Amino acid sequence: MSEITHPTIKDGWFREISEMWPGQAMTLKVNQVLHHEKSQYQDILIFESTDHGTVLVLDNVIQCTEKDEFSYQEMITHLAMNSHPEPKNVLVIGGGDGGVLREVIKHETVEEVILCDIDEAVIRLSKKYLPGMAVGFQHPKVKTHVGDGFKFLADRKEEFDVIITDSSDPEGPAETLFQKPYFELLHTALREGGVISTQAESQMLHLSFIANLKQVCKSVFPIVEYAYTSTPTYPSGQIGFMVCCKQSFIDNTNTNDNPNTTDNTTITTESNTTEEEDDEEKNKKRKLGESESKKRDVTKPLRYWSEEEEEKLCRYYNRRVHEASFILPTFARAALR
């Protein structure tokens, strides 16, 4: 069998060069190319690196490496899942590598999770070459739908508690997943109190894009926040998430504050504010029938594992990292205010 070649690999090194991050490039040393094909939607390259394990590349852009994928998969998943008091029905758009599925099913409250990815090739190849990520496909609570996320969502009304969009960069087939019509479909598909998280680029490289994306989200959702994580093989070593909630307030009377919850998490009901609400706000809440409510705050987890459970279930995410991920450096805070 002849050696597989690819234009991004020269002299034994993979080079990730893109106009989305001008003047810089990520390079990884290649042991061997495992697979290359052009699907109906994108160029797919999978290679074994010398120091980062197996690497998945779509349209010449790194999607994940076995060495650091956990920081992204855990954060995009648990920021949303632990911002919901009891997520039962979950939808994943994209994420054909299976990493988000792997994280979602760690929550025992989940009754069903559907993954919708447009490219069957990514699912098929991830099962073969990235079994540590694709393990989630084997879970009995998981259903897979190969197709367009837009079309899938068009028929869904108030079905999901959490929707996670694990998309590639806003180019090619993923471009529409960053536009207002898509977020309107997400809003419609969510149940009351539902939460979304979506890949939202790097504050070091794409701040104006993120600011525009946040405004798009705020035109649809009452609660919108930007968080970020460290993933060394992504451009600038950082990548962010937009986390949004459909409901402005949560009813304390319906919140279970018993630590003995069904998925070994504690549900917190402590107040997220330190200042007393003014009379106008109190009256507004009374008019809405929310006198026993508190404002939703996705920057603080509603549910969280014990430290022992965190160390069993996660390598990156924990309760304090959840809160810290929303604390932005001064330049980003000002731009996204």
Side-chain angles (χ1 to χ4, degrees):
M1 181 181 293
S2 61
E3 182 180 358
I4 302 172
T5 61
H6 193 271
T8 60
I9 300 175
K10 295 180 181 179
D11 301 323
W13 287 82
F14 165 83
R15 294 170 171 84
E16 181 189 61
I17 300 173
S18 172
E19 293 180 359
M20 288 196 66
W21 38 92
Q24 67 179 68
M26 168 62 73
T27 61
L28 295 175
K29 194 171 184 180
V30 180
N31 264 342
Q32 63 174 323
V33 177
L34 301 174
H35 187 87
H36 175 236
E37 72 174 75
K38 290 191 176 182
S39 73
Q40 182 180 351
Y41 300 99
Q42 53 204 338
D43 182 276
I44 304 174
L45 169 68
I46 302 174
F47 66 88
E48 177 189 284
S49 67
T50 58
D51 297 278
H52 289 76
T54 302
V55 181
L56 172 64
V57 179
L58 300 181
D59 285 339
N60 304 332
V61 175
I62 295 170
Q63 302 301 302
C64 60
T65 79
E66 287 183 308
K67 184 173 183 177
D68 62 9
E69 54 85 11
F70 63 93
S71 66
Y72 173 84
Q73 312 294 343
E74 291 180 14
M75 291 295 282
I76 195 173
T77 303
H78 303 313
L79 288 177
M81 295 293 289
N82 282 341
S83 293
H84 193 286
E86 193 177 10
K88 295 181 178 180
N89 292 84
V90 180
L91 173 64
V92 180
I93 300 291
D97 54 43
V100 170
L101 285 182
R102 180 193 66 201
E103 299 305 314
V104 169
I105 59 177
K106 292 176 180 179
H107 297 261
E108 294 180 15
T109 59
V110 172
E111 297 176 356
E112 181 181 79
V113 52
I114 299 173
L115 180 136
C116 176
D117 195 295
I118 197 169
D119 198 340
E120 66 79 24
V122 175
I123 298 172
R124 167 172 47 86
L125 295 172
S126 295
K127 289 178 178 179
K128 182 176 181 179
Y129 294 106
L130 293 165
M133 297 179 67
V135 64
F137 286 107
Q138 303 172 16
H139 199 280
K141 294 180 180 180
V142 171
K143 294 182 179 180
T144 305
H145 175 85
V146 176
D148 181 81
F150 255 88
K151 294 179 180 178
F152 182 87
L153 286 167
D155 299 324
R156 307 289 168 159
K157 313 294 182 186
E158 298 185 352
E159 289 191 26
F160 302 103
D161 300 304
V162 173
I163 303 176
I164 300 167
T165 304
D166 178 15
S167 69
S168 52
D169 294 310
E171 296 181 323
E175 185 175 4
T176 58
L177 303 183
F178 294 84
Q179 298 170 357
K180 185 174 180 178
Y182 178 69
F183 289 99
E184 291 174 333
L185 286 174
L186 293 178
H187 187 277
T188 301
L190 281 177
R191 294 171 176 165
E192 189 63 26
V195 179
I196 71 161
S197 63
T198 186
Q199 192 270 107
E201 300 299 322
S202 168
Q203 62 188 330
M204 301 300 293
L205 298 171
H206 312 114
L207 193 56
S208 60
F209 174 86
I210 297 167
N212 290 333
L213 180 62
K214 187 173 184 181
Q215 290 306 310
V216 168
C217 291
K218 289 179 72 173
S219 71
V220 178
F221 291 93
I223 304 295
V224 178
E225 299 289 350
Y226 178 81
Y228 69 100
T229 190
S230 297
T231 306
T233 52
Y234 285 163
S236 81
Q238 291 184 350
I239 195 164
F241 317 100
M242 210 63 75
V243 184
C244 312
C245 182
K246 188 172 181 178
Q247 186 181 37
S248 297
F249 296 91
I250 186 168
D251 189 342
N252 285 341
T253 62
N254 292 328
T255 304
N256 176 14
D257 59 359
N258 185 343
N260 298 315
T261 58
T262 57
D263 65 340
N264 297 318
T265 58
T266 297
I267 296 181
T268 178
T269 60
E270 61 193 9
S271 174
N272 290 327
T273 58
T274 57
E275 297 180 2
E276 293 185 1
E277 296 173 287
D278 58 32
D279 291 338
E280 182 179 352
E281 185 66 19
K282 289 181 180 179
N283 289 335
K284 178 181 177 182
K285 287 169 64 176
R286 289 192 187 99
K287 289 177 182 178
L288 293 172
E290 297 171 329
S291 58
E292 297 298 325
S293 301
K294 68 173 182 176
K295 190 172 182 179
R296 289 292 288 268
D297 183 359
V298 296
T299 70
K300 297 178 175 60
L302 276 176
R303 303 181 307 122
Y304 52 87
W305 293 294
S306 67
E307 287 191 10
E308 181 180 5
E309 286 295 317
E310 286 174 344
E311 292 174 8
K312 288 180 181 179
L313 294 171
C314 299
R315 297 173 64 192
Y316 191 95
Y317 176 90
N318 61 55
R319 181 187 180 187
R320 291 190 176 186
V321 165
H322 182 123
E323 297 184 13
S325 68
F326 292 94
I327 301 175
L328 304 181
T330 304
F331 76 93
R333 182 183 66 189
L336 301 181
R337 182 174 291 123

